[in-house]
Amino acid sequence: MVLSARFIILSFVFLFTIPASNAQDFQGQAYYFSKSTMELGSWGARMSEAQKKEVYARLQNRLEKTYILNFNKEASVFKEEEKLDAMSGATDSWGKNFARGEQYKNVKGNELVQSQEFYGKLFLVKDELQNIKWEMGSESKQIGQYMCFKATASVPTNELTWFDFSWSRLRQNNENSGEPNGEEAKEPAVEMTQIEAWYTPQIPVAHGPAEYWGLPGLILEVSAGNTVMLCSKIVMNPDVKLKIEAPDKGKEITKTEYQITVADKMQEMRDNRGRRRSR
């Protein structure tokens, strides 16, 4: 299935309270709505409209998500609000294996700590923050009560979706690991994702949702590939003090090591299915 880059933009109301004068007590909470779109390609051309609607309904939990970003001056915790499956009333167990886990980012220490569960095993991914070379634009727009400014960047897709898995990526890795058969092996083309972000200097922190960070203001909207994330509500200095700490449970591993672990497990599962079918 090929994903497209068309989005539906919704209207939002923003809540804001004046930050405390003591910077040490400064905290904020931002709510995001994420929407991805999908095209079914040639496979979808053979489906009836009723079948297409059923597919979209079953995949709704993967295409539409809500998140919370808790932050202070130096660090943030970004996590998904878990929803029940729209069709069965159960959680999406298959999709959970490849979804982004609870993510801690420390912009002062250039530190990423992310909790990832894969087929019942818990991993604690520790690495540096995603390197994003932003190009600052001159465009501005009002989002709710905040004046926002545009920034763009281009990042390797694989680095933005390191926690995810695709069979096409596995096939490419297998092909690249083979012998060149007398010919010089060609370096595979790197797929890039174009990013468009809107940040507000009115909230002067370098935080944002997901992998995005490093701008002179909180990122309220970001479009990347087939997905857009929009901030729906902001609460500054909530009455209840927020817990902004890194997760600490699971096997410690880097992003690259995690990708290799997942790919090896999926290859093993595919090989086992093939052996069962050949019996």
Side-chain angles (χ1 to χ4, degrees), residues 34-55:
S34 169
K35 187 175 182 67
S36 301
T37 53
M38 177 185 68
E39 288 185 357
L40 300 176
S42 57
W43 178 55
R46 300 190 296 270
M47 300 173 65
S48 67
E49 289 303 315
Q51 289 174 322
K52 291 179 182 179
K53 289 181 180 179
E54 183 177 354
V55 170

Side-chain angles (χ1 to χ4, degrees), residues 271-279:
D271 293 343
N272 288 338
R273 285 200 301 268
R275 283 192 289 267
R276 286 197 297 267
R277 290 172 181 170
S278 62
R279 289 176 183 174

Side-chain angles (χ1 to χ4, degrees), residues 61-73:
N61 270 14
R62 301 188 195 181
L63 299 176
E64 298 180 6
K65 296 176 179 288
T66 54
Y67 298 90
I68 300 176
L69 178 73
N70 295 332
F71 61 88
N72 55 31
K73 283 288 186 181

Side-chain angles (χ1 to χ4, degrees), residues 228-247:
V228 63
M229 284 188 177
L230 300 171
C231 185
S232 59
K233 185 174 73 171
I234 297 173
V235 179
M236 301 303 300
N237 297 313
D239 295 335
V240 178
K241 191 172 180 63
L242 302 174
K243 183 179 179 181
I244 304 175
E245 298 176 353

Side-chain angles (χ1 to χ4, degrees), residues 77-205:
V77 173
F78 183 70
K79 57 185 178 181
E80 180 183 351
E81 289 186 305
E82 189 169 296
K83 297 183 296 184
L84 292 181
D85 185 274
M87 297 294 290
S88 66
T91 55
D92 181 6
S93 56
W94 169 260
K96 187 177 180 181
N97 287 309
F98 310 110
R100 179 188 291 104
E102 181 177 334
Q103 180 192 73
Y104 170 87
K105 298 198 295 286
N106 189 307
V107 298
K108 184 177 181 180
N110 190 26
E111 179 186 15
L112 168 77
V113 182
Q114 189 158 318
S115 177
Q116 289 292 134
E117 184 179 348
F118 181 68
Y119 280 99
K121 187 169 184 179
L122 191 61
F123 294 89
L124 192 65
V125 182
K126 290 188 174 184
D127 218 307
E128 295 182 347
L129 297 177
Q130 176 61 48
N131 181 27
I132 304 178
K133 296 181 180 179
W134 293 106
E135 292 186 13
M136 313 300 285
S138 58
E139 295 179 58
S140 64
K141 69 176 180 179
Q142 194 81 10
I143 300 181
Q145 65 184 49
Y146 299 100
M147 177 58 68
C148 295
F149 297 89
K150 182 179 177 180
T152 58
S154 182
V155 175
T157 303
N158 188 43
E159 294 181 14
L160 289 176
T161 59
W162 60 266
F163 51 85
D164 200 355
F165 170 81
S166 70
W167 291 111
S168 60
R169 187 188 301 169
L170 180 62
R171 285 194 298 270
Q172 186 180 55
N173 290 342
N174 289 340
E175 292 170 1
N176 294 335
S177 63
E179 294 295 329
N181 297 324
E183 298 182 4
E184 185 178 349
K186 295 182 179 179
E187 192 71 23
V190 178
E191 180 184 354
M192 304 295 287
T193 292
Q194 305 305 313
I195 304 166
E196 178 182 296
W198 293 86
Y199 66 95
T200 176
Q202 290 175 253
I203 305 178
V205 296

Side-chain angles (χ1 to χ4, degrees), residues 241-259:
K241 191 172 180 63
L242 302 174
K243 183 179 179 181
I244 304 175
E245 298 176 353
D248 58 4
K249 293 181 174 60
K251 178 184 176 181
E252 290 192 16
I253 196 170
T254 66
K255 288 190 289 188
T256 299
E257 291 169 342
Y258 182 78
Q259 284 184 315

